[in-house]
Amino acid sequence: MTLAVTAATGGLGRQTLDALLRRVPASELVAIARRPEALADLAALGVEVRGASYDDPDALRAAFTGVDRLLFISGSEVGRRVVQHGNVIDAAKAAGVGFVAYTSILRADTTSLLLAAEHRATEEALAASGLTYALLRNGWYHENYLAHLPTYLANGVAGAAGDGLISGAARADYAEAAAAVLTGTGHDGAVHELGGEAYTLTDLAATISTVTGQDVRYTNLTEEAYRDLLISVGLPEPVATVLADADRGIAAGELHVPGSDLATLIGREPVSLRAAVEAAVAGAAATV
């Protein structure tokens, strides 16, 4: 059985490969990336490394040759993903891949989030392809917020999410879930809505305060004001618009998933927000 992971140099791809290495021999794994040279350490462990870009259909077909089960991680180039993801799906079908697990977004088929449009199109393309597949509809990562920990400590947390609940989880937990689906059975046609502990941005600020001993508070803005703030700190307007819209969706409950499949797939409770903040604070201290 040959298991492959795309976008293998990214955070989710690499952590999924680490999780797979705890489950199956390295000789059964294929890591696919635009920059295969960045995966020399995996190659040294016995993982087969193949190069392919989502923009290169021929390279994708070659990279998928002999693959039985594929983790298809969504691309990062918002606005280009419908074409790129179509290339991946076509190549997987041409190469005879037996099963594809795709990393989507919560409630991709019904949510109003701007960020979901390309995921919805990809899910529809998978359904039309004839491939056997599963959908891993991931919620927000704790890391989406904790990457900005220094900013929060200096300026507080700002957003437009109101009291909306976020079903957040650590990237490593989503990776464990992906590894469980790729190595498990009974997932053909499954739609897994994935998320962990529910919290608000006020909860996030309070948790950072508790862990660090600093007074960090959440400031709620209108969607428009939050978009303008993101633009003012250097984000391109299209990116700022999507992020502000995501907070609008959070306020409306679109990134909250009660009864998530995540704990079931990984066999334990996901990493809590408190534990994630403690790890981020410890990591920041270690680099000083």
Side-chain angles (χ1 to χ4, degrees):
M1 182 71 69
T2 299
L3 313 177
V5 176
T6 69
T9 55
L12 182 61
R14 180 54 194 255
Q15 290 188 345
T16 301
L17 283 159
D18 290 341
L20 287 168
L21 283 166
R22 294 191 290 270
R23 295 169 179 261
V24 300
S27 59
E28 295 183 10
L29 300 179
V30 174
I32 301 169
R34 285 181 296 182
R35 297 181 298 106
E37 66 277 5
L39 299 173
D41 60 328
L42 286 178
L45 294 174
V47 176
E48 184 175 353
V49 175
R50 301 177 182 177
S53 161
Y54 287 177
D55 293 309
D56 189 337
D58 291 338
L60 287 168
R61 283 193 294 272
F64 296 159
T65 298
V67 169
D68 298 296
R69 297 174 70 83
L70 172 69
L71 176 63
F72 167 21
I73 294 177
S74 58
S76 59
E77 297 179 77
V78 176
R80 300 188 59 204
R81 294 189 289 186
V82 172
V83 172
Q84 290 177 331
H85 291 182
N87 290 339
V88 174
I89 292 167
D90 290 345
K93 185 173 183 178
V97 174
F99 173 84
V100 177
Y102 170 66
T103 62
S104 189
I105 193 171
L106 288 177
R107 303 188 189 90
D109 55 338
T110 60
T111 182
S112 68
L113 292 183
L114 294 175
L115 192 60
E118 291 172 310
H119 290 295
R120 185 180 305 116
T122 303
E123 290 189 5
E124 291 169 352
L126 275 168
S129 71
L131 289 164
T132 300
Y133 67 93
L135 302 177
L136 306 180
R137 290 179 172 168
N138 291 348
W140 246 216
Y141 298 170
H142 294 321
E143 289 87 349
N144 289 353
Y145 296 117
L146 298 181
H148 305 291
L149 183 60
T151 299
Y152 297 156
L153 291 172
N155 304 305
V157 179
D163 294 323
L165 289 169
I166 302 153
S167 292
R171 181 183 287 110
D173 285 344
Y174 292 119
E176 284 287 347
V181 169
L182 211 60
T183 58
T185 59
H187 299 288
D188 293 5
V191 178
H192 294 297
E193 303 280 358
L194 303 176
E197 170 192 5
Y199 55 87
T200 67
L201 291 187
T202 298
D203 295 331
L204 170 67
T207 302
I208 294 171
S209 294
T210 299
V211 172
T212 64
Q214 297 189 37
D215 185 20
V216 177
R217 300 189 183 187
Y218 172 57
T219 300
N220 195 57
L221 306 171
T222 65
E223 180 183 349
E224 294 75 16
Y226 184 45
R227 182 197 62 212
D228 292 345
L229 173 63
L230 293 173
I231 292 170
S232 74
V233 298
L235 287 184
E237 183 173 351
V239 175
T241 297
V242 167
L243 292 178
D245 176 76
D247 266 28
R248 174 203 59 77
I250 290 170
E254 296 198 58
L255 285 175
H256 177 219
V257 55
S260 163
D261 294 342
L262 185 56
T264 300
L265 287 175
I266 66 178
R268 57 171 171 77
E269 288 301 311
V271 171
S272 68
L273 175 64
R274 172 68 180 260
V277 171
E278 289 174 344
V281 170
T287 61
V288 174

